[in-house]
Amino acid sequence: MKIRPLQDRVLVKRVEAEEKTASGIIIPDNAKEKPLEAEVIAVGNGRRLENGEVVKPEWKVGDRVLISKYSGSEVKVNGVEHLILREDDIMGVLV
């Protein structure tokens, strides 16, 4: 199954969080927070303005982005968890 996001939506996959702290302490699964970093998998065509013009998104497939903590809708694509977000839920692109 494939998904193509519509309009200003973006399909992302969360980047796995570290399992150890910098000092070597192992973090148990129930204490881990959801990572805020994600990889862009697919991008919609863009946001449509009131005058009918389409504004293309600033990111592309493969970009690493920072997302809001509780944003998006979780979906499974081929057994892998992904998020579908609105353009506004992406806070920045990692360079």
Side-chain angles (χ1 to χ4, degrees), residues 20-75:
K20 285 188 197 179
T21 64
S23 60
I25 298 173
I26 296 175
I27 302 170
D29 287 338
N30 60 352
K32 290 181 189 172
E33 288 191 20
K34 290 183 178 180
L36 299 179
E37 188 176 332
E39 180 182 354
V40 176
I41 305 299
V43 179
N45 292 331
R47 181 172 32 107
R48 186 172 300 275
L49 301 177
E50 289 181 20
N51 64 5
E53 182 182 340
V54 175
V55 178
K56 297 209 179 261
E58 298 179 33
W59 42 85
K60 60 188 179 307
V61 173
D63 281 350
R64 293 249 173 156
V65 294
L66 292 176
I67 59 174
S68 300
K69 193 171 194 174
Y70 300 107
S71 61
S73 299
E74 293 184 357
V75 295

Side-chain angles (χ1 to χ4, degrees), residues 5-12 39-44 57 59 65 83-87 90:
L6 300 176
Q7 299 172 350
D8 68 336
R9 289 179 179 83
V10 181
L11 180 71
V12 298
E39 180 182 354
V40 176
I41 305 299
V43 179
W59 42 85
V65 294
L83 284 173
I84 293 183
L85 309 167
R86 283 201 165 283
E87 186 177 271
I90 295 179

Side-chain angles (χ1 to χ4, degrees), residues 71-83:
S71 61
S73 299
E74 293 184 357
V75 295
K76 278 195 176 184
V77 179
N78 298 328
V80 179
E81 295 240 351
H82 291 75
L83 284 173

